[in-house]
């Protein structure tokens, strides 16, 4: 998942995130910012007993410090105390292998542009209604992908991460599973994973369905049961429903985009609903029929005003819990570029702002966990809110 607060877009995004009837359409403004997470309520099905509440998901590992979806990023996130490692996003190769990249377009996350033998594969495609020019995983075999090396995706903000460009190859999902199993044996407890199916409708139309391949691998490693140490997530609810039909029983989380967006599978099926409809109590009740949690965008938890300053919490956490859903919002980062205006320090977009205070404000709403590129900061903030 990705929502980057570009400075030029801050006013627009802030206005779009306001609670009440304006945009969130159902995720209204809470009457108080009380720490709902400390009140007693039945534990939702998506809250595993062996994980702390709130938990911290290392977003693509520790991608604030290492290029995302690399063994270096995963290893560091684990060492920093992340409770769950996001070992998605899953995209397929031409020959049907699942690999881990932010998007099928690998222009910004690999050194593919430096490979003259692949120059002719640069092309323009339309994915979920958006035209994108670059190099795409579905045009490469796994053997070809393995000749590439990972690099930092946002070097303008994280120049220090470019030190690690070229250090690690692109991972397959099976390699990530093998890593998790190895680390689990070493630690004496399982490594939890958060796994996302990326653009599943798009890939299914190409004959590269993600769900069947994912289910097969999860079964191979015993990670398909209700108590398996992983969550499954997708912006397309039908993908999670399909995984359930394939016998994958572990907790599922529906990711939520900006309020005006229609999920790609809704567009394909002619379903007129938008994210705003899913944020309403009736939408959350519908989600609870196929999943155990939601992954909302941060301003859907605490609104921002038109200037980009933090406002009041919405009722989304309370409404989701009432529907029996856990809440894992995304994505908190330390840099000014990604923080509400009143948590920024100085003028440099790449400098750290007062992210610790922002983490605490989010945890105080009663969320069950969150995604962060900086799991060490998130774990530090989570400590005072945790109950075991």
């Amino acid at each position: 998942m990705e929502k980057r607060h570009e400075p030029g877009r801050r006013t627009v995004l802030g206005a779009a995130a306001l609670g009440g009837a304006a945009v969130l359409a159902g995720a209204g403004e809470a009457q108080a910012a009380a720490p709902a997470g400390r009140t007693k309520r039945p534990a939702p099905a998506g809250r595993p007993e062996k994980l702390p509440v709130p938990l911290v998901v290392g977003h693509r590992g520790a991608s604030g410090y290492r290029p995302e979806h690399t063994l270096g990023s995963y290893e560091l996130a684990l060492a920093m105390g992340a409770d769950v490692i996001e070992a998605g996003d899953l995209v397929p190769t031409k020959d049907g292998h699942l690999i881990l990249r932010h998007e099928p377009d690998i222009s910004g996350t690999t050194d593919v542009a430096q490979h003259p033998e692949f120059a002719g594969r640069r092309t323009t495609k339309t994915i979920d209604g958006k035209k994108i020019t670059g190099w795409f995983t579905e045009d490469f075999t796994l053997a070809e992908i393995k000749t590439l090396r990972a690099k930092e995706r946002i070097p303008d903000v994280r120049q220090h991460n470019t030190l690690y460009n070229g250090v690690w190859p692109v991972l397959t999902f099976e390699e990530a599973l093998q890593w998790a199993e190895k680390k689990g044996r070493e630690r004496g407890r399982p490594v939890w994973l958060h796994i996302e199916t990326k653009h599943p409708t798009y890939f299914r139309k190409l004959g590269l369905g993600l769900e069947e391949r994912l289910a097969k691998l999860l079964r191979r490693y015993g990670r398909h049961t209700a108590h398996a140490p992983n969550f499954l997530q997708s912006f397309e609810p039908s993908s999670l429903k399909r995984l359930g039909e394939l016998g994958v029983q572990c907790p599922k989380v529906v990711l939520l985009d900006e309020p005006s967006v229609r999920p790609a599978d809704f567009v394909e099926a002619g379903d007129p609903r938008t994210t705003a409809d899913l944020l309403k109590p009736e939408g959350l009740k519908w989600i609870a029929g196929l999943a155990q949690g939601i992954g909302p965008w941060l301003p859907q938890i605490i609104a921002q005003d038109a200037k980009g300053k933090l406002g009041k919490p919405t009722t989304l956490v309370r409404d989701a819990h009432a529907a029996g859903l856990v809440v894992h919002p995304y994505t908190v980062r330390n840099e000014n570029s990604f923080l509400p205006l009143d948590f920024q320090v100085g003028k440099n977009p790449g400098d750290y702002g007062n992210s610790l205070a922002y983490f605490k404000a989010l945890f105080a709403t009663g969320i069950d966990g969150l995604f962060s590129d900086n799991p060490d900061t998130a774990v530090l903030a989570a400590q005072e809110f945790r109950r075991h």
Side-chain angles (χ1 to χ4, degrees):
M1 74 286 293
E2 185 67 18
K3 282 288 172 292
R4 184 179 176 191
H5 288 203
E6 298 286 357
R9 297 179 65 214
R10 190 170 305 281
T11 299
V12 176
L13 290 176
L18 289 173
V23 179
L24 291 187
E29 189 174 280
Q31 296 303 307
R38 295 181 180 178
T39 61
K40 290 184 177 180
R41 58 176 178 269
R47 186 185 293 160
E49 293 181 0
K50 294 183 180 180
L51 290 176
V53 180
L55 57 81
V56 171
V57 183
H59 185 236
R60 305 172 196 156
S63 52
Y65 311 104
R66 301 289 187 273
E68 61 195 31
H69 288 319
T70 60
L71 279 182
S73 185
Y74 293 170
E75 292 270 5
L76 186 57
L78 206 59
M80 286 179 164
D83 306 295
V84 184
I85 308 298
E86 190 192 25
D89 317 291
L90 301 184
V91 291
T93 63
K94 183 178 182 179
D95 47 350
H97 294 275
L98 295 181
I99 63 173
L100 298 165
R101 288 292 86 193
H102 168 53
E103 288 285 344
D105 175 16
I106 54 174
S107 307
T109 61
T110 73
D111 62 356
V112 65
Q114 299 172 26
H115 286 251
E117 68 272 27
F118 299 137
R121 301 206 196 166
R122 189 170 186 266
T123 187
T124 298
K125 299 191 179 190
T126 300
I127 301 178
D128 297 351
K130 297 179 182 178
K131 279 193 173 183
I132 303 167
T133 298
W135 287 266
F136 298 84
T137 61
E138 65 268 27
D139 296 331
F140 292 79
T141 65
L142 179 59
E144 291 171 331
I145 288 289
K146 281 298 186 178
T147 67
L148 308 178
R149 309 296 282 187
K151 70 175 187 177
E152 173 56 36
R153 184 174 58 86
I154 48 173
D156 55 325
V157 175
R158 293 175 174 165
Q159 193 278 332
H160 55 282
N161 282 12
T162 64
L163 174 66
Y164 305 101
N165 285 354
V167 173
W168 293 286
V170 175
L171 281 175
T172 67
F173 179 56
E174 184 163 21
E175 287 170 336
L177 290 174
Q178 291 168 347
W179 169 81
E181 294 299 296
K182 178 176 180 289
K183 287 296 174 182
R185 291 191 296 270
E186 292 174 357
R187 289 158 29 108
R189 63 185 188 280
V191 173
W192 281 75
L193 303 177
H194 228 300
I195 305 159
E196 180 181 354
T197 58
K198 203 80 175 186
H199 304 294
T201 293
Y202 168 78
F203 284 119
R204 180 165 295 282
K205 292 169 76 172
L206 295 179
L208 291 169
L210 302 178
E211 294 83 7
E212 292 79 9
R213 291 169 169 84
L214 174 55
K216 182 178 179 180
L217 283 170
L218 291 176
R219 283 195 203 93
R220 183 179 300 171
Y221 289 86
R223 283 180 170 260
H224 63 293
T225 67
H227 300 291
N230 41 253
F231 298 88
L232 303 177
Q233 56 178 335
S234 184
F235 281 101
E236 299 185 28
S238 63
S239 182
L240 299 178
K241 183 179 179 181
R242 175 62 177 156
L243 285 164
E245 292 168 350
L246 290 168
V248 180
Q249 300 173 334
C250 42
K252 301 172 182 67
V253 175
V254 174
L255 299 172
L256 299 170
D257 210 315
E258 295 183 40
S260 62
V261 172
R262 290 171 67 199
D265 55 340
F266 284 19
V267 174
E268 183 71 15
D271 188 328
R273 290 178 297 171
T274 65
T275 299
D277 295 304
L278 298 182
L279 289 166
K280 297 176 182 178
E282 55 266 37
L284 296 170
K285 183 178 179 181
W286 178 84
I287 288 174
L290 59 92
Q292 290 71 47
I294 57 171
W297 183 34
L298 293 172
Q300 292 162 355
I301 300 296
I302 306 181
Q304 295 177 29
D305 66 20
K307 294 181 179 179
K309 291 185 176 182
L310 203 65
K312 295 181 180 180
T314 71
T315 61
L316 181 58
V317 175
R318 185 184 67 197
D319 294 343
H321 285 163
L325 298 167
V326 297
V327 183
H328 295 173
Y330 65 93
T331 301
V332 193
R333 300 169 166 106
N334 284 354
E335 294 91 354
N336 283 327
S337 180
F338 306 109
L339 293 171
L341 186 63
D342 42 336
F343 290 82
Q344 296 175 30
V345 177
K347 300 297 184 181
N348 188 341
D351 285 351
Y352 280 8
N354 191 8
S355 56
L356 191 62
Y358 185 40
F359 276 109
K360 290 182 178 181
L362 289 162
F363 284 131
T365 66
I367 58 175
D368 301 277
L370 53 69
F371 288 79
S372 178
D373 289 11
N374 308 92
D376 53 342
T377 312
V379 168
L380 181 64
Q383 293 299 333
E384 66 185 74
F385 295 91
R386 285 185 168 175
R387 57 199 189 280
H388 297 275

